[in-house]
Amino acid sequence: MTVGPAGRRSVMQRGALALTEDLSVSEAGARDTPPTRSQIADTSRPCAFGAERLFAFAALTMSPNRVHFESAAAGAVGLPAPVVDARLLALDLAVMAEAAHGPIVAFDFRTFAPVLQDESVILCAKAHDFWVEDATGKVVMTARAG
């Protein structure tokens, strides 16, 4: 894996380019509140992320950020439980996209609020739009597959 200018990350697999990510974190245009659901999902499924899955994803991605898998680290920053890595939420949405539309070549996502370990959420899809709702119906992530 290499990280280049402007947050571009390329992942090679067996000597060939397997994935390119353009990473950006921006406060510009950040919303105080997430968007509200403006459409009814064609497909939805409940989901929760347990401790084992969070730890396995952190190990697989070699994430050094313990707040994503260790209760003590989450507690040290004032959180009641570890935070689900946004990439893991996006991965589950991308799997939904691939199941609905076949191979995807682009996937953009934006996170608006954290999801905690064992918190119930709903993964939703309508055409090429995907989103995650918390138990109150608040949209915590949006995504678009191409």
Side-chain angles (χ1 to χ4, degrees):
M1 170 176 34
T2 60
V3 178
R8 176 162 282 189
R9 180 170 69 170
S10 298
V11 178
M12 304 296 285
Q13 186 175 33
R14 295 187 184 109
L17 180 64
L19 171 73
T20 299
E21 291 181 312
D22 289 317
L23 309 170
S24 66
V25 177
S26 173
E27 297 297 321
R31 300 173 187 234
D32 292 332
T33 58
T36 57
R37 180 173 25 126
S38 61
Q39 54 190 349
I40 304 299
D42 290 334
T43 305
S44 65
R45 72 173 175 87
C47 187
F49 299 86
E52 296 82 13
R53 187 152 184 225
L54 296 184
F55 184 78
F57 186 77
L60 179 67
T61 60
M62 296 182 278
S63 175
N65 193 344
R66 296 182 333 196
V67 75
H68 291 299
F69 60 88
E70 189 177 282
S71 295
V77 295
L79 296 168
V83 177
V84 177
D85 190 318
R87 298 173 302 162
L88 179 54
L89 282 170
L91 175 64
D92 275 18
L93 291 178
V95 168
M96 283 181 74
E98 191 169 54
H101 305 292
I104 56 176
V105 296
F107 192 80
D108 297 310
F109 66 93
R110 182 166 181 189
T111 305
F112 297 96
V115 173
L116 300 178
Q117 175 184 307
D118 297 322
E119 181 180 357
S120 293
V121 295
I122 301 170
L123 307 179
C124 304
K126 183 172 183 82
H128 290 274
D129 293 320
F130 297 83
W131 65 97
V132 178
E133 296 178 3
D134 69 10
T136 68
K138 181 174 75 172
V139 175
V140 298
M141 174 181 276
T142 59
R144 179 125 176 106

